[in-house]
Amino acid sequence: MIITIQERWGMMMNKNWMRRQQRLGYLFIGPNMLGVLLFFIIPAFYSLYLVFTDYQFMKPDKNFVGLANIERLLHDELFYTAMLNTVIFLLAVPISIGLAFVVATVLNQSVYFKKLLRGLYFLPYITSGVAIAFVWMLLFQPNQGPINGFLRSIGIANPPGWLSTIETSMFAIDIIWVWFMLGYNMIIYLAALQEISSELLEAARIDGANRWQTIRKIIFPLVSPTTFLLLITGLIMTVKTFGIIQAITQGGPGNSTTILSLFVYQHAFRYYDMSYAATISWALFIFILVITMIQWWGQKRWVHY
């Protein structure tokens, strides 16, 4: 096959155009990649280096200690307490997602003031975490708080201590987190529900499917990718969160609300034990990685694309 001069010239011009486009693409992503390199990748490798040292923030010297920090972590009872608290904290994610699906399904229909209700549900997500902390501290106040006041009014003589007792403090944090995440999850579900074809739902109704069957057999499978997205991002976000807990309980009472992210913060910025904080942070990374891999493996069974 003979290639003409014009065709050869066109191929060369096309290759040159592709090279220019690639260079332009690298130019656009360069600042972002530089930020990732400087603020994520390099600090991550530096923290891995700190795991094998005895670096204290107020002491400039770093001595190599091998696996001493890892051995310390494996024998630290507070680490296992923080991990258990983290698992309990994660229970708020599926509960919030389930409630958000119910609320989104209701608000996706013709109901009064649905735009106002959508805004009210989403409002907590954009509210200051410190403001949320103080409001819920007042609501959960054991003696004068409105929640326990209501429980006493309906006949519960000894309502829970909520944030003031070891037994109930972590579950109170879960309630706050469910409330906080509900609006965001609802908005994402609303976007997914509005993409479902009305003809498909009408066909199901004509075929005799009731409301529950329509939700279970049609709506939920169609929004399962959204559910998976909310689940994986919600669990990662929850594991890394510590600001609200720090503002409300500072990890107390008796370390009953100390989760892994707060455990890292305490050792890094309260005790200035940077090497041990780096060790905990890598344990937190492994914890997140395991959760993510389990989700990716499990989503093949129930997510429908």
Side-chain angles (χ1 to χ4, degrees):
M1 182 177 179
I2 301 176
I3 301 176
T4 65
I5 296 177
Q6 291 82 358
E7 290 175 341
R8 188 186 300 275
W9 176 257
M11 293 172 61
M12 292 177 59
M13 292 296 294
N14 186 54
K15 290 181 180 179
N16 292 334
W17 182 84
M18 290 295 296
R19 292 193 188 99
R20 288 196 299 270
Q21 291 300 311
Q22 289 178 353
R23 288 194 292 267
L24 187 61
Y26 289 134
L27 181 64
F28 276 109
I29 68 173
N32 185 58
M33 295 305 298
L34 181 62
V36 170
L37 179 66
L38 292 178
F39 299 108
F40 289 94
I41 297 178
I42 292 177
F45 281 103
Y46 183 69
S47 69
L48 183 60
Y49 160 71
L50 292 180
V51 170
F52 304 100
T53 68
D54 61 352
Y55 176 55
Q56 302 282 332
F57 184 73
M58 305 302 293
K59 300 177 182 178
D61 297 332
K62 304 183 188 69
N63 300 312
F64 182 78
V65 296
L67 301 177
N69 286 316
I70 299 176
E71 293 177 359
R72 175 185 171 187
L73 182 70
L74 295 176
H75 292 87
D76 190 346
E77 293 184 1
L78 188 53
F79 167 71
Y80 295 103
T81 300
M83 183 171 290
L84 177 60
N85 291 337
T86 303
V87 172
I88 296 174
F89 192 31
L90 290 177
L91 295 177
V93 177
I95 295 174
S96 178
I97 291 174
L99 292 175
F101 177 75
V102 174
V103 174
T105 302
V106 173
L107 294 182
N108 193 45
Q109 303 175 22
S110 297
V111 297
Y112 292 110
F113 309 112
K114 65 179 181 180
K115 292 184 179 180
L116 175 62
L117 291 173
R118 290 174 184 177
L120 292 176
Y121 274 109
F122 186 70
L123 187 61
Y125 188 75
I126 58 175
T127 304
S128 168
V130 176
I132 291 173
F134 280 108
V135 168
W136 279 98
M137 287 170 65
L138 294 174
L139 292 175
F140 278 139
Q141 211 281 333
N143 298 320
Q144 305 296 327
I147 293 178
N148 278 359
F150 170 74
L151 294 177
R152 292 189 187 96
S153 68
I154 61 175
I156 301 177
N158 297 308
W162 302 114
L163 296 169
S164 62
T165 62
I166 294 176
E167 294 77 15
T168 59
S169 55
M170 199 65 236
F171 296 102
I173 295 293
D174 273 356
I175 293 173
I176 299 172
W177 194 246
V178 167
W179 173 83
F180 175 74
M181 291 296 297
L182 180 62
Y184 171 78
N185 294 335
M186 179 210 66
I187 290 295
I188 301 299
Y189 264 132
L190 275 173
L193 290 172
Q194 291 172 3
E195 292 297 319
I196 298 177
S197 172
S198 58
E199 288 81 3
L200 182 62
L201 301 178
E202 182 66 19
R205 187 186 65 81
I206 293 173
D207 288 340
N210 58 35
R211 184 61 182 169
W212 168 245
Q213 290 172 332
T214 302
I215 292 175
R216 187 167 62 91
K217 296 293 186 178
I218 298 177
I219 295 178
F220 185 76
L222 288 176
V223 300
S224 59
T226 301
T227 304
F228 177 63
L229 170 69
L230 293 176
L231 187 62
I232 196 169
T233 55
L235 288 174
I236 292 175
M237 178 181 177
T238 301
V239 168
K240 297 191 301 180
T241 296
F242 73 93
I244 289 181
I245 298 178
Q246 173 66 16
I248 297 175
T249 63
Q250 294 82 46
N255 294 313
S256 61
T257 58
T258 299
I259 61 175
L260 287 175
S261 56
L262 183 60
F263 198 37
V264 174
Y265 174 83
Q266 289 174 343
H267 279 277
F269 301 107
R270 181 181 298 177
Y271 310 128
Y272 302 112
D273 191 350
M274 295 299 177
S275 292
Y276 194 53
T279 306
I280 303 169
S281 67
W282 275 94
L284 177 60
F285 168 75
I286 295 172
F287 185 76
I288 295 174
L289 180 63
V290 169
I291 290 176
T292 305
M293 294 304 296
I294 291 174
Q295 291 180 89
W296 276 107
W297 174 79
Q299 59 96 17
K300 298 177 183 179
R301 299 172 178 263
W302 61 274
V303 178
H304 306 280
Y305 293 101

